[in-house]
């Protein structure tokens, strides 16, 4: 109960405190102008009147030399007045004639001999002659110390009026603002239906202030729906999609208010209460006033963050699949190019043997050796083509075994000689430096590299 009265963030509390401040200012101003009764002044006037009455009566008794009756009257006066502590009658020489109460303990002598609010000195006359004086000691009107301020009558009045008016204003505003709150104009069953919706809903006025928020949007931003009332849309950390709009572009609710037209399918991002960025499909429908212009706008926010993430994953999967297909196509294109070379060698030397151009058995044996070597190379290429796992992984395993590199070079030269002869080119192998008898490498990959290099050389050489 007390929490709602002292919630400083509540609009009702702020208005109530403002009204109380105005009341306090009016009270201070009225006091300054003398419109508020002066309690201290009235008490001091009453004490002065008592002192004058006592002085007149005492002067009569002094003239009659009846000091006992004067003392008896003072005793009755002190006993019947609870604010009077003591009294004393002194001669003009300062001698105490009569004393009522412990006057010496209560009386505080002053240098100037002037009366105060607690001590009153009244002169006594015997005819035209100054006879003496009466001293009356009263209880102090004000407390001493720093706490005295809180016991001032004006302070007590202000604190009482401020506390009482604050609770009255708070109660009254609670009833009035409930009637003026636009969200209260919506029936409870309609509000319950809005709160059960999964998408966030806001109703804005013409100045883009929130006048209604449903439970879904309030949960997103991590606050209660009633605390969103009065907030501006610019207070939220909205972000446009960079590929869609520039920073200078108006937000959809701004366009809907300006054009009085429905704005659909705007993508916006918002940093929600858990610190994550969420993507929303935003739709805005203007609320038209009597003049046909937008007096407000209804804004809906459909969270499409998960859909956007799935779309990104689908795009990445598509790109990966396309890259794999390109890799397969490139691999097959390279293999078809490499197959053509040993196949040409096999067909060429077979045609030579078939037509009987060779007359030397050693020459025929050499041709057959070249055909066998080309056939083995062709088989290795076919095995690579059939091994699709190598293509899908994007790499081909490389062996590392002892290999006679000069023999591989000679075999490739023999195979490519037929292709060179078709263009009337000369192809022969000559080692410029001594070659090792054996090296650690992959003979199949070395043969592919040499075949590609020599094949390109033959392809782009016209003569020589």
């Amino acid at each position: 109960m007390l929490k709602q009265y002292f919630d400083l963030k509540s609009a009702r509390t702020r208005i109530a405190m403002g009204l109380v401040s105005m009341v306090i200012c009016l009270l201070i101003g009225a006091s300054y102008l003398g419109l508020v009764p002066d309690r201290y002044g009235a008490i001091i006037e009453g004490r002065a009147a008592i002192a004058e009455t006592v002085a007149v009566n005492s002067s009569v008794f002094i003239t009659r030399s009846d000091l006992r009756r004067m003392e008896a009257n003072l005793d009755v006066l002190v006993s019947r007045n609870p604010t009077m502590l003591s009294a004393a009658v002194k001669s003009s020489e300062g001698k105490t004639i009569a004393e009522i109460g412990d006057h010496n303990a209560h009386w505080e002598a002053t240098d100037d001999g002037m009366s105060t609010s607690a001590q009153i000195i009244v002169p006594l006359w015997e005819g035209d002659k100054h006879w003496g004086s009466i001293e009356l000691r009263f209880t102090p009107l004000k407390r001493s110390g720093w706490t005295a301020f809180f016991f001032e009558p004006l302070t007590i009045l202000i604190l009482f009026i401020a506390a009482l008016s604050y609770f009255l204003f708070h109660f009254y505003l609670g009833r009035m603002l409930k009637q003026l709150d636009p969200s209260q104009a919506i029936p409870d069953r309609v509000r319950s239906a809005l709160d059960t919706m999964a998408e966030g809903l806001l109703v804005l006025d013409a100045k883009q202030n929130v006048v209604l928020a449903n439970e879904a949007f309030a949960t997103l931003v991590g606050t209660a729906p009633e605390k969103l009332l009065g907030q501006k849309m610019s207070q939220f950390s909205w972000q446009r999609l960079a590929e869609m709009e520039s920073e200078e572009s108006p937000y959809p609710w701004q366009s809907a208010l300006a054009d009085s037209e429905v704005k659909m399918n705007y993508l916006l991002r918002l940093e929600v209460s858990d610190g994550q960025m969420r993507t929303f499909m935003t739709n805005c429908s203007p609320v038209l006033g009597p003049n046909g212009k937008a007096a407000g706008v209804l804004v809906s926010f459909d969270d499409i963050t998960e859909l956007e993430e799935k779309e990104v994953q689908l795009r990445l999967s598509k790109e990966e699949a396309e890259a794999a297909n390109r890799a397969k196509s490139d691999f097959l294109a390279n293999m078809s190019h490499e197959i053509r070379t040993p196949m040409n060698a096999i067909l060429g030397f077979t045609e030579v043997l078939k037509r009987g151009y060779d007359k030397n058995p050693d020459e025929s044996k050499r041709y057959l050796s070249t055909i066998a070597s080309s056939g083995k190379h062709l088989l290795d290429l076919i095995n690579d083509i059939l091994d699709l796992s190598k293509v899908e992984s994007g790499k081909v395993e490389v062996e590392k075994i002892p290999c006679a590199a000069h023999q591989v070079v000679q075999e490739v030269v023999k195979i490519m000689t037929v292709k060179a002869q078709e263009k009337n080119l000369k192809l022969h192998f000559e080692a410029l430096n001594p070659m090792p008898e054996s090296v650690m490498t992959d003979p199949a990959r070395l043969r592919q590299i040499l075949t590609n290099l020599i094949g390109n050389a033959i392809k782009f050489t016209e003569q020589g």
Side-chain angles (χ1 to χ4, degrees), residues 337-349 366-378 381 407-422 427 447-448 450-452 454-455 458:
H337 175 70
E338 294 187 11
I339 288 173
R340 191 179 296 111
T341 300
M343 184 62 72
N344 289 336
I346 293 171
L347 294 177
F349 283 106
R366 186 170 62 83
Y367 290 164
L368 290 173
S369 177
T370 302
I371 292 173
S373 177
S374 300
K376 183 176 180 301
H377 180 46
L378 180 60
L381 293 175
Q407 291 182 359
V408 176
V409 175
Q410 290 175 353
E411 292 175 0
V412 174
V413 170
K414 289 179 181 179
I415 295 173
M416 302 300 293
T417 299
V418 177
K419 190 173 182 179
Q421 290 176 352
E422 293 176 356
L427 178 61
R447 185 180 293 106
Q448 290 177 3
L450 294 175
T451 300
N452 288 334
I454 297 174
I458 295 173

Side-chain angles (χ1 to χ4, degrees), residues 44-62:
I44 292 173
E45 290 178 359
R47 290 179 177 181
I50 292 175
E52 290 294 334
T53 302
V54 171
V56 170
N57 291 334
S58 298
S59 297
V60 173
F61 292 133
I62 290 172

Side-chain angles (χ1 to χ4, degrees), residues 58 64 66 91 138 200 210-211 215 229 256 274 290 300-301 318 331 340 375 394 403 430 437 441:
S58 298
R64 296 177 181 178
D66 194 355
S91 64
F138 295 89
V210 177
V211 296
E215 192 68 32
L229 301 183
D274 57 1
S300 65
F301 302 92
K318 180 181 178 182
F331 179 79
R340 191 179 296 111
C403 171
E430 179 181 351
E437 181 179 355
T441 185

Side-chain angles (χ1 to χ4, degrees), residues 98-404:
E99 181 180 0
I100 295 86
D102 193 359
H103 189 70
N104 291 329
H106 294 300
W107 188 264
E108 297 178 1
T110 57
D111 296 335
D112 55 5
M114 300 297 292
S115 298
T116 64
S117 61
Q119 298 185 155
I120 299 178
I121 302 175
V122 183
L124 296 177
W125 299 86
E126 184 180 7
D128 296 334
K129 180 182 177 182
H130 180 254
W131 184 86
S133 62
I134 295 180
E135 296 178 351
L136 301 178
R137 172 66 181 181
F138 295 89
T139 57
L141 293 179
K142 298 182 180 181
R143 293 172 178 261
S144 60
W146 64 272
T147 59
F149 171 79
F150 297 99
F151 291 92
E152 291 286 335
L154 181 60
T155 303
I156 296 174
L157 176 63
I158 290 176
L159 292 177
F160 174 77
I161 295 297
L164 183 61
S165 60
Y166 174 81
F167 285 99
L168 291 176
F169 286 147
H170 201 281
F171 177 79
Y172 175 75
L173 290 171
R175 294 292 183 268
M176 292 302 298
L177 292 178
K178 187 175 182 180
Q179 302 298 324
L180 298 176
D181 186 359
S183 62
Q184 300 298 326
I186 300 177
D188 291 339
R189 63 180 182 275
V190 177
R191 171 174 284 278
S192 299
L194 295 178
D195 288 338
T196 57
M197 296 180 64
E199 63 179 359
L201 289 176
L202 289 178
V203 177
L204 310 179
D205 60 14
K207 296 182 179 180
Q208 304 176 37
N209 298 318
V210 177
V211 296
L212 175 64
N214 73 339
E215 192 68 32
F217 186 85
T219 302
L220 283 173
V221 297
T223 186
E226 58 271 13
K227 291 187 177 181
L228 292 173
L229 301 183
Q231 292 193 24
K232 286 189 172 294
M233 288 293 279
S234 57
Q235 293 180 263
F236 301 101
S237 54
W238 300 106
Q239 293 184 8
R240 302 175 179 87
L241 295 184
E243 64 272 14
M244 299 278 302
E245 296 178 335
S246 64
E247 289 297 327
E248 291 76 17
S249 301
Y251 289 106
W253 50 85
Q254 294 174 334
S255 300
L257 288 172
D259 304 336
S260 300
E261 296 179 357
V262 176
K263 304 297 177 181
M264 304 290 290
N265 302 330
Y266 278 76
L267 295 178
L268 293 173
R269 286 193 178 97
L270 175 65
E271 183 177 352
V272 295
S273 57
D274 57 1
Q276 297 182 354
M277 296 300 298
R278 310 291 293 182
T279 304
F280 297 94
M281 181 71 73
T282 307
N283 299 316
C284 301
S285 178
V287 180
L288 301 181
N291 56 358
K293 294 184 178 180
V297 60
L298 173 65
V299 188
S300 65
F301 302 92
D302 190 8
D303 191 349
I304 60 170
T305 305
E306 295 182 1
L307 181 62
E308 185 183 37
E309 292 175 352
K310 291 181 179 179
E311 183 180 352
V312 172
Q313 294 176 356
L314 181 61
R315 189 185 306 116
L316 293 176
S317 299
K318 180 181 178 182
E319 292 176 354
E320 292 176 357
E322 291 176 349
N325 288 332
R326 287 194 299 269
K328 291 180 181 179
S329 299
D330 296 340
F331 179 79
L332 294 176
N334 292 332
M335 289 297 103
S336 63
H337 175 70
E338 294 187 11
I339 288 173
R340 191 179 296 111
T341 300
M343 184 62 72
N344 289 336
I346 293 171
L347 294 177
F349 283 106
T350 301
E351 188 66 25
V352 171
L353 292 175
K354 180 179 177 181
R355 295 183 180 181
Y357 291 149
D358 59 317
K359 304 298 182 180
N360 188 347
D362 293 337
E363 188 75 15
S364 298
K365 184 177 180 181
R366 186 170 62 83
Y367 290 164
L368 290 173
S369 177
T370 302
I371 292 173
S373 177
S374 300
K376 183 176 180 301
H377 180 46
L378 180 60
L379 180 61
D380 291 339
L381 293 175
I382 294 174
N383 289 334
D384 286 341
I385 295 174
L386 296 177
D387 191 1
L388 296 178
S389 62
K390 297 178 181 179
V391 180
E392 294 174 353
S393 63
K395 63 180 181 178
V396 179
E397 296 181 358
V398 179
E399 295 180 329
K400 192 174 183 182
I401 59 176
C403 171

Side-chain angles (χ1 to χ4, degrees), residues 435-462:
M435 296 182 64
E437 181 179 355
S438 177
V439 295
M440 298 296 293
T441 185
D442 188 335
R445 307 303 166 218
L446 178 59
R447 185 180 293 106
Q448 290 177 3
I449 294 172
L450 294 175
T451 300
N452 288 334
L453 291 175
I454 297 174
N456 288 335
I458 295 173
K459 180 178 179 181
F460 295 105
T461 302
E462 298 299 331

